[in-house]
Structures are given as structure tokens and as C-alpha cells.
Amino acid sequence: MPRFLHTADWQMGRSFSRFDADDGAALAEARYAAIEALAQLAVDQDCDAVLVAGDVFDAQTVSDRTIRRVFNATSAFKGPWVMLPGNHDAALAESVWTRAGRLGAVPDNVHLALEPGVTVLAEQRLAILAAPLTQRHTYSDLTAAFDEWETPAGLLRIGLAHGSIQGVLPDEVDATNPIAPDRTQLAGLDYLALGDWHGTKQINERTWYSGTPEPERFRNNDAGYVLVVDLAEPGALPDVHRHDTARYRWYQWRETLSVPSDLDQLIARMQELPEASVLDLRLEGAITLEGHQHLNHGLSLAEARFRSVSCDRSGLQLEPTEEDIAALHADGYLGEAIEELRLRQGGDVSGPARDALAILASLLSSGTQEVTK
């Protein structure tokens, strides 16, 4: 029974410039590890082939070193690979693919589907109908050609394409590179392996997006997996299994803090996350001085555990309680300054006023602790 691994959207050479240099480098390196992991998975699962449905590279301008490292990362699986150009690495007249050829970087077992057509893997009983993108954006369905292409009898008809299934994905996603939702029926495909949507998604019983094997953005769409597909014979329904390949998991939380228990629950949730986490927080609402110190402590612990933590507090109002102020033992001028900062938080300078109040409270709290030791 033929079995193949379906993956896509590696985006190799992607830059993570929004992160600190160490974190960005680690996130980039994890993408090479993901290729190595899926290659080993193909070995462990006795796959007959690996199909890559576009966007192997993030851009045409990736370095020669990146090109060589990508193909080196596939070395564990010695069977056939079929790689399809996507919108990020379209098969232009001069492209990352032609450069890979000149470098001699493409192994003999890697088939580059740079032109529309059928790649026949007779030994594996697979006929791969490929619709490569030859420019970044198209407005016609390149998979329509599948309907007319003939394949050898007895081989599975597997479509390989990169684009947007019409009427299924969000409207802003399916504007270009369209693919008909019933292409498997129209073309008599046993399976349609898709790339472009970075999460694992089933369109129908024969059509799947595999998603990217290593998440690279804050979108909750089931990224970080590859698919292993079994097909007993032409016409049989595929048996699809999802396998986790992600090193890092990305979380984007938008939280409103109203009462102390909201903060307690937030910190408890952070503590439950795995160490290989990339966390992006945006906080709104109000917090006391004591809560502010509690939040700082929780974030400090998270920063030490996770790959990356960022926290936007621009929408978070600092509202000291009477107990907070009394605990600071701030009399005279300092007391007046704290009261002024409290009043100014509601104006246009709420951000600076909040920050100044937090800093002053922290300094006073530290000084009080020193005195009481």
C-alpha cells in the first residue's frame, strides 16, 4: 500500500528580525531541525515518497548557504522527494531553483516540479500531477489542467499545488492563486496535497493542507505538523495521520485584567505552557501596585523559561489602592508626586504617568525592604 508524507511552507531563509538576535537565530535554526525531523519520520513510517507543496524557500534571494543546508537536511530519507515552487519561491526564469541547480545542491532523489506536468514514480505506484507557480500571483486555477492529464493505469493520481481553495479560506486569503474546492472530483484525484495555508486543514476527504512543520507566526491555525497519507489503491479513500514536528509553539494572548483573580489566572496559564514557547501578550484593564509587582515577577520567570516573551502594557492602567500607597510610606513631596501621577493617568500622558508611578513605587518598595532587613 503506497504511503507518502505531505508537507509544505518551510519558508527557509525566513528572518525573525522582530525578536532578539539569539531568539531569532534559534527560531530560524528550528526550521532546519523540522526538515530533519520530517525526513526521519518518513524513514520511520516507511514512506514511499515525500511531497512538498510549495514555499520551500521564503524568498528568491536566500543565501547559497541556506540552499545547501535545506537539501542537506533532507538526507535521512533516501526515497524520492517532489518539491513544488510556491508563491515565495516561484519558478521564474531565474530563481532560487535555477541557482540551486547551478550550485549542484539538489540530490538525485529530489525531483523539482518546475513546470506543469506529471512526475511518475512507478516503483512507488504514484503519479504526481504538479501545478507549480511560475509567478508570485496568478488569477486562474492552475490545477484545472489536472482534469485533462492522463496518468499510467494502476498508479495513484496525486495532485500537488500551492494556493487558496476558493470559498473555504478567509476572503483576504483566497484572492490570488485560486484552486477549485472540487478539484479532486473533476480531475479524478486520489489525493490533493496543498500548500499556502500554514496550518493543517482538511478541505474534504481527499484534499488537505499540511501546514508548515515549524510555526513561524502568531496565528492559531494548527501549524507545526506534517501528514502521513496511506492509499490502498486508486479510488480508495486516503487514511491521513497528523504528526507533530514543531520545536516551538507560538501563543498570542489578549487579556483584560479587572480583578486580582484575572492576574492570578493569567500567571497560572503561563506556568502551564511548555518551555519551548513563544509568547506574545497584550494586556488591558487595570492593575494595582501589588498586582504590578506580581505581574513583573511572573513575566521574569516566564522570560527565563520560554524562548521569547513580549508584553504590551500600553492599555493597562495602574490603579494603586489605598493599601498600596500606605505600604509605600510615602509622605510629603513623594506622597504628592504619587497622587499627581495617579490623577494624570487618565489624560493623554497615561502611558508615561503609569510608567513613572510604577518605577517610583518599585524604588520605594525596594527601599522599604532594605530598611526592614
Side-chain angles (χ1 to χ4, degrees):
M1 176 170 61
R3 169 180 290 178
F4 57 88
L5 187 148
H6 168 199
T7 180
D9 300 297
W10 294 356
Q11 311 290 145
M12 302 308 296
R14 187 179 184 91
S15 173
F16 295 94
S17 56
R18 65 172 291 183
F19 297 93
D20 292 340
D22 288 348
D23 293 335
L27 294 172
E29 196 63 26
R31 307 195 73 73
Y32 292 101
I35 300 176
E36 294 171 350
L38 67 88
Q40 187 59 52
L41 178 66
V43 174
D44 296 341
Q45 293 289 314
D46 294 323
C47 290
D48 296 295
V50 175
L51 309 184
V52 190
D55 283 358
V56 170
F57 299 98
D58 190 56
Q60 303 284 4
T61 55
V62 300
S63 68
D64 290 354
R65 180 172 184 266
T66 294
I67 293 173
R68 293 185 187 280
R69 288 195 66 192
V70 166
F71 290 109
N72 288 345
T74 68
S75 61
F77 180 69
K78 306 301 183 183
W81 297 69
V82 181
M83 295 187 179
L84 183 85
N87 59 308
H88 281 258
D89 54 7
L92 310 175
E94 176 61 28
S95 70
V96 63
W97 302 104
T98 57
R99 191 148 49 94
R102 286 198 300 273
L103 290 170
V106 184
D108 292 339
N109 63 323
V110 175
H111 304 264
L112 303 183
L114 303 185
E115 297 180 356
V118 180
T119 299
V120 175
L121 304 177
E123 183 179 342
Q124 290 77 21
R125 295 170 53 199
L126 300 172
I128 312 302
L129 294 76
L133 289 175
T134 55
Q135 56 190 24
R136 187 173 179 87
H137 298 305
T138 63
Y139 297 92
S140 60
D141 185 351
L142 301 181
T143 67
F146 293 176
D147 301 358
E148 308 300 326
W149 292 351
E150 296 184 358
T151 54
L155 300 191
L156 297 170
R157 285 173 62 87
I158 309 299
L160 188 63
H162 190 89
S164 302
I165 292 289
Q166 298 298 282
V168 176
L169 302 180
D171 291 341
E172 68 273 13
V173 174
D174 65 9
T176 59
N177 308 324
I179 298 173
D182 57 350
R183 182 57 62 204
T184 55
Q185 296 171 304
L186 296 172
L189 300 178
D190 295 296
Y191 183 85
L192 178 54
L194 295 176
D196 196 33
W197 182 251
H198 283 211
T200 301
K201 187 175 184 64
Q202 181 180 10
I203 302 302
N204 56 47
E205 58 190 6
R206 296 187 185 275
T207 306
W208 285 75
Y209 285 97
S210 66
T212 179
E214 179 66 32
E216 88 296 355
R217 63 179 67 171
F218 294 106
R219 180 180 288 172
N220 184 20
N221 65 345
D222 265 348
Y225 300 94
V226 299
L227 302 176
V228 172
V229 182
D230 288 314
L231 271 160
E233 59 186 4
L237 290 178
D239 187 11
V240 182
H241 296 276
R242 187 172 72 167
H243 293 263
D244 190 341
T245 50
R247 171 70 178 89
Y248 297 108
R249 288 291 172 187
W250 294 46
Y251 303 90
Q252 188 174 61
W253 294 351
R254 302 295 180 250
E255 305 290 335
T256 299
L257 305 180
S258 301
V259 294
S261 60
D262 292 337
L263 178 58
D264 293 337
Q265 292 172 11
L266 171 63
I267 292 177
R269 286 176 62 203
M270 285 196 296
Q271 292 172 343
E272 293 173 355
L273 291 178
E275 290 188 6
S277 292
V278 179
L279 177 62
D280 177 64
L281 281 172
R282 186 168 68 204
L283 303 179
E284 297 179 346
I287 193 172
T288 66
L289 283 178
E290 182 181 6
H292 186 268
Q293 294 171 356
H294 187 30
L295 173 62
N296 284 343
H297 179 68
L299 289 173
S300 178
L301 294 178
E303 289 168 353
R305 288 184 57 225
F306 301 157
R307 177 71 269 168
S308 175
V309 178
S310 61
C311 183
D312 178 1
R313 308 189 214 187
S314 59
L316 189 61
Q317 187 90 350
L318 189 59
E319 295 183 353
T321 64
E322 295 300 327
E323 291 77 8
D324 287 332
I325 302 301
L328 295 176
H329 303 290
D331 300 322
Y333 172 75
L334 285 177
E336 293 175 1
I338 289 174
E339 184 60 28
E340 176 67 16
L341 290 172
R342 292 176 66 187
L343 294 174
R344 295 183 68 179
Q345 280 197 101
D348 294 336
V349 292
S350 60
R354 179 198 62 241
D355 295 342
L357 181 56
I359 292 170
L360 181 56
S362 178
L363 291 172
L364 288 172
S365 178
S366 299
T368 300
Q369 292 174 9
E370 289 295 325
V371 169
T372 56
K373 284 183 180 178

